[in-house]
Structures are given as C-alpha cells and as structure tokens.
Amino acid sequence: MPAPLDEYPIHQTHLSLARVASSDRNFYDRSYFNGHDRDGGNFFVTGLGVYPNLGVIDAYATFRRGDTQRAVRFSDALGDRSLDQRVGGYRVEVLEPLQRIRVICEHDDLGFDLTWNGAFPAVEEQPHLILNGNRPIIQATRFAQVGSWEGTLHVDGSDLTVDPAVWTGTRDRSWGIRPVGEPEPAGRAAAEPSGGFWWLYVPIRFDDFAIVVIVQEEPDGKRTLNDATRIWPDGRVEQLGWPRIHIEYCSGTRHPVFARLSMTAPDGKPIEVEIRPGTNVALHVGCGYGGDPDWLHGRWMGRDWSDSTIYDLTDPAIAARVPYGVIDHVGRARCGDAEGWGLFEHASLGRHAPTGFADWTSVAP
C-alpha cells in the first residue's frame, strides 16, 4: 500500500497480492459513485467493495427522491478473480481507465445501466489516517473525480432517462484499512471515546475547473487532514492552502444549510466557494457505512445474498438515526461568477469546539 493510481483493484491481480499489501482484517478496496440531476430532486449513491482478508465482495445502490430512500445490496464470497468486478446483479466495467466507467445494477426495485464520463482528470488526495491508541483504524488512500452520467435508471416502477447535460456527480476510489465486516470488540475505545468526529469532503465541478476539499478535525478543532486542490482540464493541480470553513446549520439541528470555503491560490489570490446543500443520502441508512444497523460493508451475509429495503425518512425511528453518521448532500456552489455542482459530504458528531458544539446533544441555536 498504496496501490497504483489506476482502475484495477489490488485484489483483481490475485487474492494473495492484497494480503501482502496488508494482513489487517480490515483491508478494503472500494469504488464509490454518486449522481444527481441539476435540481437535486433525484440523487443516487452506489459502490462496490472487496475485503480480501474477510473473503467478501459486496455492492450497494441507494436512490433518494422526496422522503423515501430505496436501497438494494448484494454480497458474496470472494475468491481469486480476474478483472471482472461483479457481485450478484451488480457490476462495474472499465471502458477507458480514469475516464469512462459503466456501472450496472440489475434489480426489479432499483436498477440502472449508466456510463460515467470524467470531466477533469482524477486527483489523488492526501493519505487519511486515524489512530485508536497506536493502531490505525483508518489508513487509506483515495483519488477523486468529477464528471457526468448517461443511461437509464428505474426505481419502484418509475423509469428515468439520465441525460449527461443534466446529470452530474462525483466518484472516488479508496483502498487501505477502515472498519469493515463484523464489529470487533470495543476494548479501550469504549472506555476512552474520542468525544467527537468532524468530517468534510467536497468535490465540486465547475465548467472550467474542479475543486476538491477534504478536511477532518478533532473535537478541539485540531486539523488532522487538510487537502484543498483545484484541477484544470490539462491535468494541472494547484494546492489551495488551508481552507477556512464556515458552516451554518438549521436551528435546533446539525443539518447544514450553507457553507463557505475560503482558500488561497498559489499566487496569493483568494478563492471563495459558497455551497447550498440540498437533497441528501445518509450513508448509514441502507448504504452500509458506519452505524448502519441493517448491513455493513464486508459483513459475511452468505453466498449469493441480496436485499432490498425502502426507507421512509418521515418515520420517527428512521429520522432519529439520520443525524448520527456521514451524510452526502447534493451541493450547488458558486465561485465568483461560476456555478458548480457536486458533493457536500459532512459529519458533525459529538464535541466540535470551533462550531460551538459542546457534546453529543448540542445543536445550532
């Protein structure tokens, strides 16, 4: 680790090669995609992951429209594999590395045949590291890219034409170590909790450039991950310094309604991006990310397993879960006169001194 910056997962050369990269049970290699129309009324999040040391491969797709969130999941045993990225009715086909990807989901409740086209070159982000004592619980590398979608999508009997002039989105590819599979014993982490988790990941596509910001801070505001870049069509990547972040939350909640990212170009000129978060998908409600009680990435579900669930986000039991995890929002942005669209992924859990949240129960005034 790290793996080469290409489209082919480590595990696909040979299963044992991934084990050489790391013997940690939590080693993973995952592709993530999202897409939405320009008004943000239709939003999907999907991905495929492999967990070589757990012997599992799985995938998920989630579609949000209005107050409902449909999720389908697939899981199976992982063996030695070729370059075929497939599990159940789900597969990812590399048409042109780092440029064109075909993603197919075959399920009666939620299905699609979509082709991704990158608008700008992919950019590799800074390594991501979180320690539990002396042990890395997240030690990952990722590249990100913005682009457009075309194809067809159906959900619960409704068919949509995905027009690349209207549908945009972001994708990333990450590999390394993160909590996956069946939960491990809590141990020291339960006795000495961190007190909070604050995370921001914002890849935004404008007509002439893309901006990718990724920031993580500890409860006292200490920044442990800081990466801000601007990507040009010719592949040039500019570092944008230390972003100053201002987020406004809906009163009585931690739901973001506005964000301002203030950065600095290499020539010293200020760059300011304002974002209005819109439709969102909670990654821990059907998508298998941390805290999802229904299914987790890498968990052994048996051979050739699949599942479909529809979530009513007005149900008090579901609504109560939503704030306590990472949430992906459709982000409408402005940078000077330029309008952009992309992902506003955010989590604010527990204490975060810079925004005035004192504990797990604190909300915006």
Side-chain angles (χ1 to χ4, degrees), residues 348-364:
S348 178
L349 309 174
R351 184 170 73 92
H352 187 242
T355 46
F357 296 137
D359 53 33
W360 290 88
T361 64
S362 297
V363 293

Side-chain angles (χ1 to χ4, degrees), residues 77-89:
L78 174 69
D80 290 356
R81 299 179 65 85
S82 65
L83 295 178
D84 187 25
Q85 299 184 74
R86 180 191 304 262
V87 55

Side-chain angles (χ1 to χ4, degrees), residues 6-11 26-33 45-52 54 58-60 85 90 92 138 140-143 171-181 283 287-290 295-299 345:
D6 61 24
E7 291 293 346
Y8 301 109
I10 299 172
H11 83 279
N26 291 337
F27 185 85
Y28 79 102
D29 182 0
R30 183 185 302 155
S31 296
Y32 163 96
F33 306 89
V45 176
T46 187
L48 179 146
V50 294
Y51 313 91
L54 299 177
D58 55 34
Y60 69 94
Q85 299 184 74
Y90 191 100
V92 177
I138 293 181
T141 299
R142 168 162 56 182
F143 70 79
R171 75 177 186 114
D172 65 61
R173 176 66 176 281
S174 66
W175 58 92
I177 297 166
R178 68 169 58 229
V180 294
L283 295 182
C287 298
Y289 287 76
W295 172 73
L296 291 172
H297 296 156
R299 177 181 287 177
E345 181 176 279

